[in-house]
Amino acid sequence: MITLGHAQAIIAGAIAHAQNAALKPLGIVVLDAGGQLLAFARQDGASFGRFAIAQAKAHGALAMGDDTAVLAERAKGNPVFFGSLVGVFDGGLALSPGGVLVRNGDGAIIGAVGASGDTGPNDADAVRAGIAAAGFATGAAA
């Protein structure tokens, strides 16, 4: 289970990574396993749209059970299906890296984090750094 304290630690770790890597300002969303918003932060200078994009990345990862970088690759081979999912989820699916599942020590999905503001791969790197800083795991289940 991700608590508010965990969510804040994830965001702090992601922001620290973004600052150290000189990324563009990010918006970062943390969702629990049920897709409910736990926390959001927008770095100074990030546009107002970053919340919606970050939330769609995190929501999409949870809804489909995989990081959005993986989903984006899968979408290349089946664009009609993945395009239809955007409508199914009322826009709550962004097929760009930056939505990452959060796993506990047993590999169970306990939430997701989404970031938006830099390139998709850089967004994902910041998210993974934040998740690791909070003591959680990412990646495929063992």
Side-chain angles (χ1 to χ4, degrees), residues 11-141:
I11 288 172
I15 289 173
H17 174 87
Q19 290 171 334
N20 289 337
L23 302 184
K24 293 178 183 175
L26 301 179
I28 304 159
V29 166
V30 180
L31 304 179
D32 67 15
Q36 297 302 306
L37 179 67
L38 285 172
F40 169 70
R42 184 176 59 86
Q43 287 182 276
D44 294 342
S47 69
F48 73 90
R50 297 301 166 196
F51 171 77
I53 298 166
Q55 186 174 31
K57 288 181 180 184
H59 181 265
L62 273 176
M64 295 301 293
D66 224 331
D67 294 353
T68 55
V70 173
L71 298 176
E73 283 301 311
R74 288 176 46 202
K76 290 177 184 177
N78 199 352
V80 173
F81 172 72
F82 280 90
S84 70
L85 291 179
V86 174
V88 167
F89 296 128
D90 293 324
L93 173 65
L95 296 171
S96 175
V100 179
L101 296 173
V102 182
R103 296 182 183 274
N104 66 16
D106 296 328
I109 296 169
I110 58 171
V113 182
S116 176
D118 204 280
T119 66
N122 286 343
D123 293 346
D125 286 346
V127 166
R128 283 191 296 272
I131 293 168
F136 293 110
T138 63

